[in-house]
Amino acid sequence: MTPPATPPRSLTAIVLAAGKGTRMRSDLPKVLHRIAGRTMLGHVLAAVQAAGAGRIAVVAEPGREDVAAEIAREAPGAQVFPQAERLGTAHAVLAARAVLETPDDDVVIAFGDTPLISAETFLRLRAPLADGAAVAVLAFESPNPTGYGRVLTEGSRVLAIREEKDASPAERAVTLCNAGLMALSGQHALTLLGRIGNDNAAGEYYLPDAVALAVAEGLSVTVVPVDEAEAQGVNDRVQLSIAEAAIQARLRRSAMLGGATLIAPETVFLSHDTILGRDVVVEPHVVFGPGVRVADGCTVRAFAHLTDTVLEAHVRIGPFVRLRGHAVLETGAELGNFVELKNAHMGPGAKAAHLTYLGDAEIGAKANIGAGTITCNYDGVLKHRTNIGAGAFIGSNSALVAPVTVGEGAYVASGSVITDDVPADAMAVARGRQAVKPGWAKLKRAALLAEKALRGGR
Ligand code: UD1
Ligand code: CA
């Protein structure tokens, strides 16, 4: 028999993001530091949205427009609540009191400085509430628990969480650590939070004190386990680098399981949004910045650096290329070594094999761009476009002074400086005419050797 349908409880997420994080030694608020090209706050907001949070509240330092803009970008529906004074994690949660007044909701508290928690873990943390728990805490075992709050238990019962600063030596020996995140049933959240005091070593209102208060009320408290690596908090730049490494490992693994070959995965750096298709081969030492999509069958050779770039199927690039500012290569296009593209579009099968800068440029299908070609797109004030038609041939070491158009099938002679449009199927040559003087070098050499002899051979 199927149980009677109860309306699913909605999920509210409160993300704590106030404070600079002094140990970061930065002008930037801690939660705006980036991991795999996305802010820590962005990672957390993405995870709570993926976990199905219908309502999201972010507690932030007042007046931080950079934080507000990031919240608007990553979670447009989220409400922002200012916490004027940083008086502790429980005080911060109460800054979002307005979203706690719905007793039928489940509430999860996330930290803006704990960016590796997955959507799945938020769902596991919430799950005990459906079975009647008032509080669920996320905890991990660590051989090196220094700095974390300790989860104090008696048998299988949770008693309290003790912050490091307040812990006795015996409590400090406990290795079960509080990951910081918590789920609270909407029914009890406000009452529990309202009772938390600040009588402790830091003089702060500690969110983890909700555990002892719930236990004293006879309410059920559950510990939900998580891996230490996933619970990694970021309080300084060393921990930031550890979190970065963890996310890189995840991204590389999912790229490889998705059908891309990373020959030396530990040397390839991906962004949170990098998409690599099937049978993509990435050679060692490649950096993918934000906004890169690589379609099936592409080869990215060693030492490439890509941001904001689309490679359509079977494109081959590198080694040593730099693509940025909305670069698009259509099917079968090729770039060789030392080529840079910025805001440039190459049609199917177009090629630039060596030493080239193409900026603000449109390159038609199967055009061939010779070695050393430069689009002179900037006049010191404005940027201008270069259009190169399908099948055009640009001879080596040419400068194309934009705005300029080279028509379909046209030729540009090597070493030209092209300032005027070249019609389709025409040839343009724009360089000094060659002069040849027979015997000149031989006579010159003889004269120079005679001069040297007069000077005694020096
Ligand atoms: C917290 C937990 C600790 C846990 C650890 C896990 C408390 C009191 N301690 O310690 O048990 O082991 O996380 O990483 O909760 N914040 C505010 N306003 C405040 C205080 C904090 O918004 O007034 C935010 C911070 O921006 C941060 C998060 O809450 O994102 C955690 O604060 P933090 O000071 O880093 O707590 P920890 O000392 O790491
Ligand atoms: Ca922290």
Side-chain angles (χ1 to χ4, degrees):
M1 248 183 47
T2 44
T6 45
R9 297 196 293 191
S10 49
L11 182 65
T12 294
I14 301 180
V15 180
L16 304 190
K20 273 182 72 71
T22 45
R23 282 161 58 197
M24 296 297 283
R25 312 220 186 285
S26 175
D27 293 336
L28 202 62
K30 176 162 70 173
V31 297
L32 294 190
H33 283 262
R34 285 175 190 276
I35 298 178
R38 182 179 230 169
T39 61
M40 289 201 267
L41 183 54
H43 283 283
V44 175
L45 290 171
V48 296
Q49 288 175 99
R55 192 154 51 157
I56 298 173
V58 184
V59 178
E61 193 183 323
R64 290 272 359 171
E65 274 165 32
D66 45 5
V67 175
E70 181 64 0
I71 295 164
R73 187 164 38 243
E74 292 282 2
Q79 292 169 268
V80 185
F81 294 91
Q83 185 194 18
E85 268 186 295
R86 206 173 174 284
L87 300 180
T89 44
H91 179 262
V93 175
L94 282 172
R97 174 186 290 275
V99 301
L100 291 169
E101 280 160 357
T102 325
D104 295 336
D105 280 7
D106 288 350
V107 180
V108 292
I109 317 285
F111 285 0
D113 73 347
T114 308
L116 302 178
I117 304 287
S118 66
E120 194 248 322
T121 297
F122 280 112
L123 292 175
R124 283 196 305 114
L125 180 61
R126 175 202 192 179
L129 303 183
D131 301 331
V135 179
V137 293
L138 198 63
F140 58 92
E141 278 291 347
S142 175
N144 181 18
T146 308
Y148 288 107
R150 309 298 206 284
V151 182
L152 309 181
T153 52
E154 192 180 71
S156 63
R157 253 167 50 86
V158 188
L159 299 179
I161 295 175
R162 191 78 72 234
E163 288 305 297
E164 166 109 358
K165 281 181 184 164
D166 301 289
S168 67
E171 289 169 340
R172 282 185 194 195
V174 170
T175 51
L176 186 59
C177 298
N178 174 28
L181 292 82
M182 202 175 269
L184 298 165
S185 87
Q187 199 191 336
H188 301 290
L190 268 182
T191 332
L192 290 172
L193 290 163
R195 289 193 192 148
I196 293 174
N198 65 349
D199 182 15
N200 53 52
E204 284 188 7
Y205 297 87
Y206 290 157
L207 176 64
D209 284 356
V211 170
L213 290 166
V215 170
E217 290 286 309
L219 298 170
S220 147
V221 179
T222 306
V223 173
V224 175
V226 67
D227 275 353
E228 179 174 9
E230 191 180 344
Q232 172 75 47
V234 174
N235 299 307
D236 58 36
R237 308 244 189 179
V238 175
Q239 291 174 332
L240 183 70
S241 75
I242 294 169
E244 175 78 43
I247 289 196
Q248 289 299 335
R250 258 190 216 173
L251 291 170
R252 290 168 187 145
R253 187 178 155 78
S254 91
M256 291 185 282
L257 292 176
T261 293
L262 309 186
I263 293 173
E266 67 284 4
T267 69
V268 173
F269 293 84
L270 299 150
S271 277
H272 67 99
D273 61 350
T274 306
I275 299 172
L276 302 182
R278 282 165 70 97
D279 295 316
V280 166
V281 175
V282 181
E283 290 188 358
H285 301 288
V286 173
V287 176
F288 293 95
V292 177
R293 180 166 65 78
V294 179
D296 295 352
C298 289
T299 299
V300 178
R301 302 192 61 197
F303 299 101
H305 191 289
L306 290 72
T307 46
D308 188 11
T309 290
V310 175
L311 305 184
E312 300 290 2
H314 303 290
V315 162
R316 298 169 61 86
I317 61 166
F320 298 100
V321 295
R322 176 157 189 226
L323 309 184
R324 64 192 175 97
H326 204 58
V328 179
L329 274 75
E330 288 196 49
T331 307
E334 283 187 34
L335 302 179
N337 41 222
F338 306 108
V339 173
E340 176 180 2
L341 259 62
K342 192 268 306 185
N343 187 24
H345 175 235
M346 291 187 77
K351 286 187 182 144
H354 340 257
L355 299 158
T356 288
Y357 172 60
L358 300 168
D360 302 305
E362 178 74 38
I363 292 111
K366 295 203 166 156
N368 192 305
I369 311 296
T373 299
I374 304 284
T375 55
C376 309
N377 59 323
Y378 186 49
D379 58 16
V381 180
L382 299 170
K383 303 280 173 66
H384 304 281
R385 291 197 68 82
T386 299
N387 285 297
I388 298 172
F393 180 95
I394 310 297
S396 296
N397 200 33
S398 292
L400 306 169
V401 183
V404 73
T405 295
V406 176
E408 287 186 12
Y411 260 61
V412 167
S414 297
S416 290
V417 177
I418 298 295
T419 53
D420 297 324
D421 290 353
V422 181
D425 294 322
M427 193 279 270
V429 51
R431 62 182 183 225
R433 187 168 277 280
Q434 182 169 330
V436 177
K437 302 184 179 180
W440 184 96
K442 192 174 179 184
L443 291 173
K444 180 71 178 176
R445 201 158 41 241
L448 291 172
L449 287 169
E451 170 78 15
K452 192 173 180 183
L454 276 178
R455 292 186 190 183
R458 274 172 288 117

